[in-house]
Amino acid sequence: MKWIVCIGEEGGILFHNRRVSRDVEVCKDILEHLPKGQKLWMHPDSAKLFAFCEDKRIVVDADFLQKASQGEYCFVENGAAAGDFCGVEEIIIYRWNRRYPWDVRFEETRCKKEFYLDFSTEFAGKSHKKITKEVYKR
């Protein structure tokens, strides 16, 4: 399984059960780099971010982390991304260049112990001047 996670400068994912931020350019980047024929699994709450397109590769299901198979991509915005990396082979992190309040945090320190940084790049978003994309692999 391959996770896609968006975090703020301090690793925050959620604040009062709401995502810390969003940017349509991140969603476009995810779809652009998703391999042909590959599914992108996500929770119904996340599907709103992709409402700008009708991509048949997007699979929306409340139990997406249990249903996604090895090698498939999962857009993870909830507390699941905070901890257990069992079965995760790759993590793609989109990092906002801002500090946001958070109450659920991505375990970045643990991620860096279990994975290595394979690739990093920066691009401008619609609402963020700089977004950093990092790809970590086992």
Side-chain angles (χ1 to χ4, degrees), residues 61-88:
D61 193 300
D63 297 320
F64 73 102
L65 285 175
Q66 290 75 36
K67 294 181 179 178
S69 299
Q70 198 67 13
E72 293 185 315
Y73 290 80
C74 296
F75 186 66
V76 185
E77 291 194 290
N78 57 22
D84 189 11
F85 300 138
C86 183
V88 178

Side-chain angles (χ1 to χ4, degrees), residues 81-97:
D84 189 11
F85 300 138
C86 183
V88 178
E89 59 204 77
E90 181 176 296
I91 299 175
I92 301 166
I93 297 175
Y94 288 91
R95 186 183 308 277
W96 313 125
N97 66 331

